[in-house]
Amino acid sequence: MASCSGCGPGYSSPLEAMKGPREKLVYLPCIYRNTEILKPDYLSTVDVDPDSKTYCQMVEPVDLYYKCGLANPHTSHCLANGQIMISCMGDPSGGGKGQGFVLLDGETFEVTGNWEHPGEEAPFGYDFWYQPRHNVMMSTEWGAPKALINGFDPKHVQQGLYGQRIHVWDWTTHRKLQTLDLGQDGAIPLEIRFLHDPDEPQGFVGCALSSNVFRFYRTQKGEWETEKVISVPSKKVEGWMLPEMPGLITDILISLDDRFLYFSNWLHGDIRQYDITDRHKPRLVGQVFLGGSLVKDGPVKVLHDPENHCQPDARVIKGKRIPGAPQMLQLSLDGRRLYVTTSLYSGWDKQFYPDMLSEGSVMMQIHVDTNNGGLTLNQDFLVDFGKEPDGPALAHELRYPGGDCTSDIWI
């Protein structure tokens, strides 16, 4: 079995990290909450070392128990002072107002307080990323937990229960400096990423409902602005809940050399790779379909596709038809392998991909062409969470023991 030890390699720069050893383990939280299985969520360890006897298998599951009544905690980042910071999506009653950031002691995991000042909470919460060299943090919005917990209702968008803003914070004083309203084109901004180069005062955010990617950047005046740089057009369909189906960009990441951007379209069912050498004009260089709501033998028929794609075939790996669609992403340090899981959120999984609750989610591996761009599915790699001892599980985010593209921040 693959193993790891120590506190991480501590690479001096993102480019040095790309020269690090190949990943051997991946950690994934596996969810039973809001399913019919009355078991605790747990942490799964997957062996991804091709030279190991347990390659492509789950090892050492660990139960997760929450130590306090936090309101929908989501993203966690380690801070330079040893603390752990966690964003929360809403208040304990399931509303959005009161979202903030909780600080934990990095050794005892005891709650030490809130990061933000009283009265400066954002209306909604979700992801965040900080860049100490520019004394800034950015945070995003999903929506009120009580609105999204059991699935998506379009009426809740009109009722203002979903977000469309990015919040800019002073990293040193913890004060909120700006709120960038993205409008309807930026509905439900989820994952946000600064470029890895700590000198770069810019990054990208994926907006789920609008299926757009915005670039955010600091102006010469020191203020922050945004521009829309990628748009995934909705498809006119029949046999679905709405006459048009958005891509629903749910995860986004950037390679450590800041050359490629990747994101998943959870409804359309594809992963896309963009060359972002020109930050203003990303160029599509890779795409692969891995299930989704548009498969040929499914209930949905595409009436008009602005991108002129044929409806994809269902994806089958090792004899298993893949339930759900690509969602959470993690890239190897050298940028040559992309790992993906299929669960978004149990209430939404149940609504859009009900088979996933009975079959479990999966983990897949994509080969990446880092020279010219291009994505190819590894047909010999599949981790099936439908075979868990306590029943099918919903695997979510992917992290490496020693740091990765979605957690490491250089100062």
Side-chain angles (χ1 to χ4, degrees):
M1 186 188 87
S3 62
C4 64
S5 62
C7 300
Y11 299 109
S12 60
S13 72
L15 296 181
E16 284 299 313
M18 294 189 75
K19 303 174 185 177
R22 177 174 175 143
E23 68 283 357
K24 293 186 176 182
L25 296 175
V26 174
Y27 295 143
L28 307 92
C30 293
I31 309 302
Y32 283 130
R33 182 184 180 187
N34 204 19
T35 71
E36 295 182 356
I37 298 176
L38 302 179
K39 294 288 184 176
D41 300 341
Y42 63 95
L43 184 68
S44 177
T45 306
V46 174
D47 187 343
V48 293
D49 180 359
D51 296 325
S52 171
K53 294 181 180 180
T54 54
Y55 175 62
C56 202
Q57 296 179 29
M58 286 168 282
V59 292
E60 299 181 358
V62 180
D63 289 344
L64 294 180
Y65 292 92
Y66 293 106
K67 298 182 65 177
C68 59
L70 298 176
N72 303 282
H74 183 261
T75 299
S76 62
H77 278 298
C78 295
L79 309 187
N81 63 4
Q83 290 181 310
I84 299 169
M85 183 167 162
I86 303 175
S87 61
C88 294
M89 291 171 57
D91 57 37
S93 67
K97 189 171 180 59
Q99 180 271 337
F101 307 89
V102 175
L103 294 172
L104 305 183
D105 185 285
E107 295 184 359
T108 67
F109 297 105
E110 294 295 327
V111 176
T112 61
N114 283 59
W115 181 86
E116 79 285 355
H117 291 275
E120 294 192 0
E121 304 87 351
F124 305 109
Y126 190 67
D127 194 26
F128 73 99
W129 195 283
Y130 65 93
Q131 184 45 267
R133 192 166 297 188
H134 300 288
N135 192 36
V136 67
M137 182 186 80
M138 300 284 193
S139 67
T140 62
E141 303 180 333
W142 187 351
K146 65 181 179 182
L148 59 88
I149 188 171
N150 291 315
F152 176 68
D153 185 341
K155 295 179 182 177
H156 290 154
V157 178
Q158 302 301 322
Q159 294 170 1
L161 295 177
Y162 283 93
Q164 60 182 38
R165 295 168 291 267
I166 300 174
H167 302 281
V168 185
W169 306 78
D170 185 298
W171 183 241
T172 302
T173 66
H174 305 184
R175 294 290 184 183
K176 188 160 62 174
L177 302 175
Q178 278 184 262
T179 294
L180 306 174
D181 194 327
L182 304 177
Q184 293 184 354
D185 278 352
I188 311 184
L190 294 182
E191 307 292 346
I192 190 164
R193 308 282 184 249
F194 267 96
L195 295 180
H196 294 286
D197 182 346
D199 286 329
E200 289 279 5
Q202 61 179 316
F204 298 89
V205 59
C207 302
L209 187 59
S210 58
S211 299
N212 293 319
V213 175
F214 281 76
R215 169 181 168 259
F216 60 87
Y217 58 97
R218 190 180 63 188
T219 69
Q220 292 183 346
K221 295 181 179 180
E223 297 180 342
W224 293 85
E225 294 185 1
T226 64
E227 62 172 343
K228 184 172 64 175
V229 293
I230 300 173
S231 182
V232 177
S234 296
K235 304 179 190 296
K236 292 184 179 181
V237 297
E238 65 179 15
W240 198 62
M241 63 182 294
L242 295 172
E244 293 193 358
M245 181 189 293
L248 205 76
I249 298 174
T250 51
D251 198 14
I252 181 174
L253 62 77
I254 298 172
S255 60
L256 286 174
D257 58 2
D258 292 331
R259 181 184 172 194
F260 293 114
L261 178 147
Y262 302 83
F263 65 76
S264 53
N265 285 310
W266 192 63
L267 289 178
H268 288 179
D270 62 310
I271 297 174
R272 301 192 181 200
Q273 176 193 25
Y274 285 81
D275 185 321
I276 56 171
T277 305
D278 183 342
R279 313 300 188 201
H280 304 275
K281 296 180 179 180
R283 182 170 56 92
L284 181 63
V285 294
Q287 184 177 25
V288 61
F289 281 86
L290 303 170
S293 298
L294 298 175
V295 292
K296 287 180 180 178
D297 60 354
V300 177
K301 179 180 179 181
V302 177
L303 303 178
H304 176 67
D305 182 356
E307 296 180 313
N308 294 318
H309 286 147
C310 295
Q311 289 190 240
D313 293 320
R315 183 64 73 172
V316 178
I317 307 176
K318 292 186 174 182
K320 179 181 177 67
R321 179 181 174 127
I322 302 305
Q327 208 284 93
M328 296 304 296
L329 306 173
Q330 188 56 260
L331 190 66
S332 60
L333 296 183
D334 62 10
R336 296 177 180 176
R337 292 166 301 282
L338 185 68
Y339 296 94
V340 54
T341 56
T342 52
S343 171
L344 171 59
Y345 188 77
S346 57
W348 291 46
D349 295 347
K350 188 184 303 183
Q351 178 183 11
F352 293 107
Y353 300 113
D355 289 347
M356 193 155 39
L357 272 74
S358 59
E359 298 182 27
S361 63
V362 300
M363 173 180 166
M364 298 171 279
Q365 185 191 73
I366 312 297
H367 294 304
V368 180
D369 183 338
T370 56
N371 294 319
N372 303 309
L375 304 174
T376 307
L377 176 67
N378 181 354
Q379 292 282 358
D380 296 321
F381 186 101
L382 180 72
V383 181
D384 184 0
F385 291 91
K387 298 179 180 180
E388 292 293 83
D390 290 326
L394 302 174
H396 193 62
E397 192 166 13
L398 307 106
R399 291 285 178 91
Y400 302 142
D404 48 59
C405 292
T406 59
S407 61
D408 280 12
I409 295 173
W410 277 266
I411 58 176

